[in-house]
Structure formats: C-alpha cells, structure tokens
C-alpha cells in the first residue's frame, strides 16, 4: 500500500551586505541591518506516483528567470519535473531588488546579479534538503480566519478574502507536526519607507508565533494570495515592528487554533496528487496619450495636496499618495507605449505560466504577479473542488492586474498595470479549464 511522504526545509536568504530595500517608490532605502531574517522554505510531497514541490520566499518578487534556473537544477538533483516545482514570493517590501523595475525611478537600482545568483543557489539548496528530508507522513488541510489582520486598501467595504488555508504535515511515526503551509491574501506592508532593516514584515512574526506554540522544528511556508488591493492600511495602529508583531501574532493565533481543532481522523496517509500547467498569452493594455497621462498626474497631485492641507485621515492621504505614484507611473507607461519600449517588456513576461496542483479533494492554483482579490474569489466560487490561490508565483506581471471597476476608477493599481482587466478574465477562464480537465475521471 502506498504511503504519502513529505520533506521540509528552511534556509536564510538574507543578503550578506547592505542593499536597496524594494517596494516603495522615490525613497532611497538602503538597508542598515537585519531586524529579522528573510527565509526560503520548501516542502516536497510524494504519493508514490507523483512528486510536487512548493517553495515560499521572503522577497518582493520571483521572476520567471529565477524560477526557471531553480527548476532546472532541482530537476537534475531530484528528478522532479520542472513544472511540478512552484516558487512564490511573500512580497515583503523590506527585502532586496529581485526584478529590475520597468519604471524609471532614479533611486531604485537594478537587481544585483550577485544576489540573484546567491538566491538561486539558496533555493536549489532548500529544495534539495526538503527532498532529502522526506519521511512517511500524515496530511490534513484546514482553514483559519484572517479577519482583522488587513483588508481592502481601497475601501474597507470592498472585497476581501479572509480565508486562510493551512496544510498540516505530521510525522507518521512520531505524530509530531514538522511543517505547515499557508496562504493569506494580504500585502505584507505594515512597515513603510522609513524602515531600513531587512524584515519579512508581519509574516515573519507569524512564523515566530507558530514555532513558539507548535515547536521550533516546524517549517512554515507562507504564500501570499491575490492581494493587489489588500493591505493592512486601514487596520494598523502604526507602521512599526511592534504593530507587525501584533498582526503577525494575531494571524498565528488563528492558525494555531485551527490546527489544534484537527482530530486524528482529519489526517490522511495517502492522497492523489496531480499537476497541470499552461503557458498563456494575455491581451495588451491600451494606454492614454502622454498628454492625457500628464493631465491625470496633475489632478492626482492636486488632490493629494488638498488632503494634506485639510489634514485628512492618514489612510486617506496614503491612498491619494499612492494614486499620485500610480499616475506618475502611467505617464511613463504612456511614453513607453508611444515610443515602442513597452513591447520589449511584454516579450520578457509573456506567455505567463498558470499552474494547478490537485491534492486530494482540493486544488491549489499558482499565478504570477499581483492580482486583485476578486479574481481569487471568482476562481474559488466557480471551481469544481475546494480551491485556494497563490499569487506572485513563478513569474511577474510588471504591475497589478485589476478589475473592470478599478480600471474605471483609475486609482494607483489601475494606473500601474500593463495588462487590462480582460487579461484577468482570461486567466480565470484558463484556470477553470485546467481544473475541469483534472476533474474528469481518469480512464
């Protein structure tokens, strides 16, 4: 009788020197030290027929180039098909530049090739160690409630997805938990541009809490779900490490509560595993003229100045400030579209990778870039099985993928993206097509 095996590992990927901290525009932010390490964690599942790997990294992005380099080397060592190895970024804004920004921000440097090589080596290492650590295991899947840690950053009344899936792995012999894997649809951006220390932000504190309560040996994979319009903006009391700790511990507490409610009957010693992957072209966005983009930028600046003068609430000012950032970036995109430079960006990104992992009665979807949470909610609502979605996986989209409503509103995220809402609809259609294929009875 076949038994499920799993192996987990974790490694420190914090840069060994001061580097620019990527995530906030126009601010020179060179690291001055380490508040908490940046980690890469890996988990490999083997049901005797199929092997699948997951890797979660405390960096702002994972480029297609990084994913491909890691996959090729891990495949050579383990034999696991390259397409069965997933890599996602937590999207911390307190880590190094990973993907050279397409926008001309004079304070943001290009990605350091030496660090990228170091990171690739580390991801290969952690995957290899997870492969070597495989042992017979039991697996359960539960969910926690992330309400209160964050929400919709455009408006507290708009769409959210507080459901936090948790994979729980127990050693089949000792019955001890050795790994957890979770997904939360939330920007890890408690810390703002005034912080100059390497940090995983609030997910780092979630990891700390889980180790305190469940055991130091527990390896956490923290994935970020579609959260282009999700952040702690309206929920934070301050942009400090103390606040990151409060919210990270709150999420950790919810996860521990869910894990402790599991009974022995909730764990399985074997589950079917399957993977499907598709490379998809996406429609390009139509940009305004440079003059129209400049007029929008002026309106955004006037609104921000008015709110500052009126001493509006900090969260309202922050929303207007990032809308101004977005208007600046849209002006650059309009210029790039007009002179042909944007086409080279599209060629570097397309086609995008869509991957679906079937695990027992569940689907786990891995998508590139920063999608609005509505796309996750739509996939989950229409999927033929219980489904969870990971974003920022195996590639980038060079900006946000917003909804039609957000396009009409024209805020920061809509201004920042290079793909229209139509691209989001296509991704949803492709995901559901892959799921229907996987859900058909095997002959």
């Amino acid at each position: 009788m076949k038994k499920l095996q799993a192996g987990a590992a974790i490694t420190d990927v914090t840069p060994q020197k001061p580097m620019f901290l990527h995530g906030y525009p126009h601010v020179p932010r060179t690291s001055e030290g380490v508040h908490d390490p940046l980690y890469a964690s890996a988990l490999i599942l083997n049901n005797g027929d199929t092997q699948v790997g997951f890797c979660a990294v405390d960096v702002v992005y994972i480029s297609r180039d990084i994913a491909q380099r890691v996959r090729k080397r891990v495949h050579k060592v383990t034999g696991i098909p390259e397409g069965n190895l997933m890599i996602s970024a937590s999207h911390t804004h307190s880590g190094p530049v990973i993907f050279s920004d397409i926008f001309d921000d004079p304070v943001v440097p290009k990605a350091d090739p030496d660090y990228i090589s170091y990171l690739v080596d580390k991801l290969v290492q952690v995957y290899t160690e997870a492969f070597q650590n495989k042992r017979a295991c039991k697996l359960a899947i539960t969910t926690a409630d992330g309400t209160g840690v964050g929400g919709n950053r455009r408006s507290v009344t708009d769409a959210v997805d507080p459901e936090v899936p948790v994979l729980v792995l127990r050693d089949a012999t000792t019955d001890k938990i050795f790994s957890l894997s979770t997904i939360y649809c939330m920007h890890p951006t408690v810390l703002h541009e005034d912080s100059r220390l390497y940090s995983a932000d609030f997910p780092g504190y979630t990891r700390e809490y889980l180790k305190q309560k469940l055991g130091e040996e527990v390896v956490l994979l923290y994935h970020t779900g579609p959260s282009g319009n999700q952040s702690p903006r309206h929920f934070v009391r301050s942009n400090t490490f103390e606040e990151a700790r409060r919210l990270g511990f709150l999420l950790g507490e919810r996860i521990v509560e869910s894990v402790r409610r599991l009974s022995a009957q909730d764990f399985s010693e074997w589950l079917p595993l399957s993977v499907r992957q598709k490379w998809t072209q996406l429609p390009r966005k139509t940009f305004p003229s440079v003059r129209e983009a400049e007029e929008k930028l002026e309106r955004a600046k006037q609104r921000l100045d008015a709110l500052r003068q009126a001493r509006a609430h900090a969260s309202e000012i922050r929303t207007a400030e990032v809308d101004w950032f977005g208007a600046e970036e849209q002006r650059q995109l309009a210029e790039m579209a007009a002179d042909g430079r944007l086409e080279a960006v599209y060629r570097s990104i397309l086609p995008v990778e869509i991957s679906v992992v079937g695990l027992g009665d569940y689907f786990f979807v891995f998508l590139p870039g920063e999608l609005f949470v509505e796309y996750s909610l739509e996939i989950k609502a229409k999927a033929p099985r219980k489904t969870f979605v990971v974003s920022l996986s195996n590639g980038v989209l060079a900006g946000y993928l917003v909804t039609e409503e957000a396009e009409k509103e024209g805020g920061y995220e809509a201004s920042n993206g290079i793909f229209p809402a139509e691209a989001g609809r296509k991704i949803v259609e492709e995901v559901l097509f892959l799921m229907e294929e996987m859900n058909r009875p095997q002959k």
Side-chain angles (χ1 to χ4, degrees):
M1 182 178 177
K2 294 176 182 177
K3 297 286 187 179
L4 185 66
Q5 290 190 324
I10 185 170
T11 192
D12 189 331
V13 298
T14 312
Q16 304 300 295
K17 62 182 180 181
M19 297 187 74
F20 185 89
L21 301 178
H22 195 198
Y24 297 108
H26 311 317
V27 181
R29 279 177 84 214
T30 298
S31 63
E32 298 174 353
V34 180
H35 179 272
D36 55 285
L38 307 179
Y39 286 110
S41 306
L43 173 67
I44 287 178
L45 301 179
N46 181 358
N47 72 349
D49 300 317
T50 303
Q51 292 193 87
V52 180
F54 310 96
C55 184
V57 194
D58 292 333
V59 291
V60 66
Y61 298 115
I62 288 293
S63 68
R64 184 169 65 180
D65 173 66
I66 290 173
Q68 289 176 341
R69 289 164 64 181
V70 172
R71 285 165 155 177
K72 287 181 184 299
R73 290 174 56 184
V74 174
H75 169 67
K76 288 181 179 179
V77 175
T78 66
I80 300 174
E82 294 177 26
N84 287 21
L85 298 166
M86 310 297 153
I87 310 174
S88 78
S90 72
H91 202 51
T92 177
H93 285 29
S94 296
V97 177
I98 297 298
F99 177 78
S100 295
D101 209 324
I102 67 172
F103 301 109
D104 183 21
D105 188 334
V107 306
V108 181
K110 300 295 183 183
D112 183 335
D114 290 338
Y115 178 73
I116 299 303
S117 294
Y118 172 79
L119 179 63
V120 168
D121 288 345
K122 283 287 194 173
L123 300 188
V124 173
Q125 172 195 326
V126 77
Y127 250 140
T128 302
E129 290 178 1
F131 181 79
Q132 295 168 343
N133 290 342
K134 285 185 299 180
R135 83 288 296 268
C137 71
K138 302 173 184 177
L139 183 149
I141 300 175
T142 185
T143 59
D145 182 4
T147 300
V149 179
N152 196 296
R153 67 185 184 183
R154 302 299 304 180
S155 168
V156 293
T157 61
D158 285 351
V160 295
D161 185 1
E163 186 176 45
V164 181
V166 187
L167 266 68
V168 186
L169 283 300
R170 289 186 183 275
D171 187 294
T173 302
T174 66
D175 216 34
K176 289 185 177 180
I177 295 173
F178 65 88
S179 184
L180 300 176
S181 181
T182 192
I183 309 165
Y184 186 37
C185 295
M186 194 60 51
H187 259 74
T189 51
V190 174
L191 306 174
H192 275 188
E193 52 265 45
D194 58 334
S195 174
R196 285 172 168 76
L197 298 175
Y198 290 122
S199 176
D201 209 286
F202 78 80
Y205 284 105
T206 300
R207 177 182 288 112
E208 179 184 329
Y209 185 90
L210 295 176
K211 291 172 81 69
Q212 288 179 8
K213 300 299 180 180
L214 300 177
E216 284 295 321
E217 71 283 358
V218 173
V219 173
L220 172 68
L221 280 74
Y222 181 95
H223 302 283
T224 295
S227 51
N229 53 349
Q230 308 291 299
S231 85
R233 180 178 301 166
H234 300 291
F235 295 79
V236 293
R237 300 168 183 169
S238 62
N239 297 112
T240 61
F241 286 106
E242 290 77 11
E243 184 66 357
R245 181 181 187 273
R246 182 182 74 84
L247 294 178
F249 273 30
L250 175 60
L251 180 61
E253 182 181 357
R254 303 279 180 77
I255 291 172
V256 169
E257 289 172 354
S258 295
V259 170
R260 287 179 171 167
R261 283 196 294 268
L262 292 169
S263 66
Q265 290 70 37
D266 294 316
F267 286 83
S268 301
E269 295 184 351
W270 186 89
L271 288 169
L273 264 176
S274 59
V275 183
R276 292 290 186 279
Q277 189 177 54
K278 186 169 185 180
W279 294 87
T280 304
Q281 293 289 342
L282 297 178
R284 288 155 167 75
K285 188 174 182 178
T286 300
F287 287 91
S289 69
V290 175
R291 180 177 177 180
E292 290 170 330
E294 288 175 341
E295 291 172 351
K296 178 179 177 179
L297 175 59
E298 180 59 28
R299 290 194 299 270
K301 184 63 167 64
Q302 289 173 356
R303 180 170 183 270
L304 174 61
D305 290 343
L307 288 172
R308 284 173 171 168
Q309 187 172 1
R311 299 190 177 186
H313 190 276
S315 63
E316 189 178 5
I317 291 175
R318 184 62 177 177
T319 299
E321 185 176 38
V322 296
D323 285 349
W324 174 48
F325 294 157
E328 284 189 313
E329 290 164 349
Q330 187 171 75
R331 180 187 61 184
Q332 289 190 42
L333 291 172
E335 292 170 348
M336 293 170 71
D339 64 22
R341 285 178 291 149
L342 197 56
E343 187 57 32
V345 177
Y346 283 120
R347 287 197 301 268
S348 72
I349 293 171
L350 296 171
V352 299
E353 177 185 335
I354 296 171
S355 294
V356 180
V357 176
L359 176 58
D361 295 329
Y362 296 82
F363 282 131
F364 291 84
V365 180
F366 290 81
L367 301 174
E370 298 184 73
L371 291 81
F372 267 32
V373 75
E374 284 88 343
Y375 292 115
S376 174
L377 294 170
E378 183 177 357
I379 289 170
K380 292 167 72 170
K382 294 179 178 179
R385 301 183 200 171
K386 182 68 174 178
T387 295
F388 305 108
V389 184
V390 178
S391 63
L392 297 149
S393 302
N394 310 318
V396 299
L397 293 178
Y400 296 92
L401 191 49
V402 306
T403 60
E404 290 183 9
E405 182 180 359
E407 275 186 338
K408 293 173 183 176
E409 181 185 335
Y412 165 66
E413 297 88 355
S415 301
N416 177 276
I418 66 172
F419 294 103
E422 180 187 352
R425 293 196 300 274
K426 183 169 184 181
I427 287 175
V428 172
E429 290 171 1
E430 297 285 15
V431 167
L432 295 175
F433 177 80
L434 287 176
M435 288 179 173
E436 291 298 337
E437 277 193 334
M438 297 170 74
N439 220 40
R440 292 190 191 114
Q442 299 298 310
K443 296 182 179 179

